Structures are given as structure tokens and as C-alpha cells.
Amino acid sequence: MTLKEKLNDDLKNAMRAGNATRRDTLRHLLAAVKQVEVDTRKDLSDADIEQILTREAKRRRESIEGFEKGGRSDLVAKEQSELHLIESYLPPQLSRAEIETLARQAIADSGATSATQMGAIMQKLMPQVKGKADGKLVNQVVRELLSSR
């Protein structure tokens, strides 16, 4: 079963169960997938759909951050539930410790000693963590490791 079929099946189940939040989130995700399919005029692979889901998860994280700053706990809860649903369709995310281990290895491989060489490190590291870690977190971990040198 493809990821798109799973999303459609879960949408049908959410409609039958009367789960409005899950239904609306799945509809939004499927609309985003459909939009990319129309724009590119091709059927998307599971990897392409994972990229769309990753982008949607990132949007939710940014929204949560903004709503927290604005003191909108009601909207934070809504976005967090949507984020949790989206993440259930994505591969498991790497922990901070796992990212640090990979970052240390990339720093050692590139021989970097300062933050000016961050581009080379990120170039080595990002293909390893693509889809498994938030780029913002990876960047933060690498900066911390370089500043502690």
C-alpha cells in the first residue's frame, strides 16, 4: 500500500468515526499532495509525498512557535495534534544525541575547526539526516559543536 493510499484510507476511517480534526488534517495533506501532482503533472512516489509531509510538519512547528509567543494555547494544542498526526506518517526522527554523533563524525571527516567551515560540514551531514531530522536542529547542533572547539 502506498503512502497516498494509506492517507486516503485513513481519511475514510476518520470520516466514518466522526473525527473532525483527523479528517480535516488528512484532507489538507491530500490537497497538498494533489496540488504538487497537478503542478508537476505526474504521480508522486512515496519519497515525494514524504517530502510534502515533512514540509507540512515544519509549517506546524513554526506555527506552534509563533502561537506560543502570542500566548494562543488553544491554537498551539490544535497545531500540536496536527503535527503528531503528520509525524505518524513520517519515518522516526533522529534524537539530538544521534544527530550529535553524526555531526561529530562529519566534523572529523571534513577536518573543520571553525564555524566558517560550516557549509562543508552541512553538505556532508544533510544527506545522512534528510527526512529524519529537522534542518534547524542539525544546524544548531553543528554550531554548538564548533563553538565548543
Side-chain angles (χ1 to χ4, degrees):
M1 174 180 280
T2 67
L3 189 52
K4 186 176 178 182
E5 290 170 346
K6 181 162 177 40
L7 288 168
N8 276 314
D9 284 350
D10 289 350
L11 172 62
K12 290 174 190 172
N13 291 334
M15 290 169 70
R16 284 186 197 113
N19 187 337
T21 305
R22 187 174 180 87
R23 179 198 66 208
D24 294 344
T25 303
L26 289 169
R27 279 184 177 162
H28 180 78
L29 296 175
L30 286 166
V33 169
K34 184 70 172 171
Q35 184 63 49
V36 172
E37 285 180 336
V38 168
D39 291 346
T40 60
R41 296 189 176 123
K42 69 172 190 165
D43 286 335
L44 299 178
S45 67
D46 280 355
D48 296 330
I49 293 173
E50 278 183 16
Q51 284 182 329
I52 294 168
L53 294 178
T54 301
R55 185 173 57 238
E56 291 296 323
K58 182 179 179 185
R59 285 184 183 152
R60 297 309 187 286
R61 285 187 201 98
E62 290 168 354
S63 295
I64 290 168
E65 194 175 300
F67 291 143
E68 284 175 341
K69 287 179 184 172
R72 296 293 308 266
S73 59
D74 56 329
L75 295 175
V76 168
K78 177 185 176 290
E79 293 291 320
Q80 284 176 335
S81 69
E82 289 181 9
L83 176 61
H84 182 69
L85 176 64
I86 294 168
E87 287 176 339
S88 71
Y89 294 101
L90 293 171
Q93 297 292 296
L94 294 174
S95 69
R96 185 178 179 91
E98 292 169 319
I99 294 169
E100 280 184 27
T101 303
L102 292 171
R104 287 181 200 283
Q105 184 63 44
I107 291 169
D109 290 348
S110 66
T113 57
S114 69
T116 58
Q117 298 163 315
M118 184 139 173
I121 297 165
M122 293 301 283
Q123 193 172 16
K124 276 186 176 285
L125 189 56
M126 287 312 287
Q128 296 174 24
V129 300
K130 185 175 183 176
K132 298 183 218 163
D134 181 31
K136 197 173 179 180
L137 176 61
V138 174
N139 189 311
Q140 180 184 358
V141 167
V142 171
R143 283 189 191 280
E144 288 172 5
L145 290 173
L146 287 174
S147 68
S148 67
R149 287 184 163 249

